[in-house]
Amino acid sequence: ELKHCILARFRADAGDWRAYLPEIREIFSAAGDIPGVRGAEVFPNCVDRDNRYDVLIRLDMDREALPLYDVSAMHHRWKDEFTPLLEKKAIFDHES
């Protein structure tokens, strides 16, 4: 099983990033609709330091599902709506 992790840090001028959590959770609530993807969880950062990311999104999927996730409407909605608000993002995949 693949864990696909997205770390996101919002731009300072994006406002309070916590206000975006409901929409982020709503977007990723559709993860289970993608074949081979079992679901997603959204974790807000709990330590307020300058060197931290704000949000971790973790998707649980079969390795073969990654290309389906990449082209999914859910993934494109996330990228289209949130990329302009992000200072940086990091992607990390691991197997469990």
Side-chain angles (χ1 to χ4, degrees):
E1 180 172 289
L2 183 72
K3 306 286 188 188
H4 179 72
C5 304
I6 305 162
L7 283 163
R9 181 179 174 95
F10 285 87
R11 295 164 37 124
D13 61 358
D16 182 2
W17 61 267
R18 291 165 192 85
Y20 298 112
L21 289 171
E23 185 178 0
I24 295 170
R25 287 189 172 111
E26 187 268 323
I27 289 171
F28 284 94
S29 69
D33 296 341
I34 302 167
V37 179
R38 282 175 279 294
E41 292 183 272
V42 177
F43 302 96
N45 178 39
C46 65
V47 175
D48 188 18
R49 291 191 182 170
D50 289 340
N51 66 345
R52 300 293 196 265
Y53 283 82
D54 299 317
V55 177
L56 166 67
I57 303 160
R58 189 188 73 208
L59 294 98
D60 300 326
M61 66 177 74
D62 298 328
R63 179 182 277 275
E64 299 76 27
L66 189 57
L68 297 175
Y69 164 72
D70 286 340
V71 298
S72 71
M74 180 193 78
H75 184 226
H76 284 279
R77 180 178 168 202
W78 156 251
K79 288 174 62 170
D80 292 347
E81 292 185 24
F82 284 92
T83 297
L85 300 173
L86 299 180
E87 175 184 320
K88 60 183 173 177
K89 121 180 131 167
I91 310 298
F92 182 81
D93 298 305
H94 70 93
E95 293 181 320
S96 59

